[in-house]
Amino acid sequence: MKKLLFLLFMGVSSAAFSQVAVSFHQSNLPFVGVSYDINERLRPELRIEVGSYLTDVPLELVLIYDIVSNEDYEFCVGLGGRTQEYNGLVVPLGVNIYPFENKSFGFMVELAPILGENDILRGSWGIRYRFK
C-alpha cells in the first residue's frame, strides 16, 4: 500500500509543472509533508509520520483544494488515505497563513478526521515553506 501511494504521488507530481512546498505538522501524530501546487488551488501532498519506527512508518497521500486562496492566507479542504497504524480515510480542513512580506514562509492549523477501524480526530499546527 505504501509503494502504491508513493508511485501515485510521484506520477501526479512529475506530470505537473508546479511549485514545491514542505511542511511540518506538530500533533499527537506529527508528520512532515511535501506538496506540489498543480495550479493555484490544487495540490497533492505526501505526508510521512515522524516519531515512528523506520520499519513501520505511516504514510498519507492527500489531495488538497484551496477554497479561498490569496497571497496572505489559504483556507483548504482535502481528501486522502493513510497506511499503517490508524489506516483509513483522511479529510483535512485547514488554514495556511503567510504573515510576512516574503510569502514563502507561513504557519498552518489543521483539523483532520482519520476514518477507519479506529476513528480519530487529529488537530495539528505547524510551519510551511513554499519554494518559488
Side-chain angles (χ1 to χ4, degrees):
M1 182 69 172
K2 280 197 274 186
K3 290 179 184 176
L4 176 64
L5 286 174
F6 180 74
L7 290 174
L8 179 62
F9 178 77
M10 293 308 291
V12 168
S13 64
S14 65
F17 179 80
S18 43
Q19 178 176 305
V20 178
V22 293
S23 59
F24 177 78
H25 294 247
Q26 178 59 47
S27 73
N28 60 333
L29 301 171
F31 57 93
V32 295
V34 177
S35 65
Y36 289 90
D37 291 344
I38 293 174
N39 59 38
E40 291 182 11
R41 295 192 182 266
L42 192 62
R43 66 182 170 276
E45 183 172 19
L46 177 65
R47 298 171 169 188
I48 303 166
E49 186 176 308
V50 295
S52 300
Y53 291 108
L54 289 175
T55 58
D56 214 17
V57 177
L59 296 176
E60 289 180 23
L61 180 63
V62 295
L63 187 60
I64 306 284
Y65 178 76
D66 292 336
I67 297 170
V68 176
S69 179
N70 66 39
E71 71 176 26
D72 294 325
Y73 65 91
E74 301 163 340
F75 178 68
C76 53
V77 65
L79 184 64
R82 179 181 165 92
T83 66
Q84 302 294 53
E85 187 180 19
Y86 309 118
N87 64 336
L89 186 67
V90 179
V91 186
L93 177 65
V95 176
N96 300 317
I97 301 167
Y98 303 97
F100 306 112
E101 187 174 328
N102 178 355
K103 300 302 179 186
S104 294
F105 182 77
F107 303 99
M108 72 182 78
V109 293
E110 181 180 281
L111 189 63
I114 301 171
L115 308 171
E117 188 175 314
N118 299 311
D119 296 339
I120 296 173
L121 183 59
R122 175 182 65 196
S124 64
W125 60 273
I127 57 174
R128 180 174 163 87
Y129 185 83
R130 301 182 290 190
F131 296 92
K132 292 190 173 192

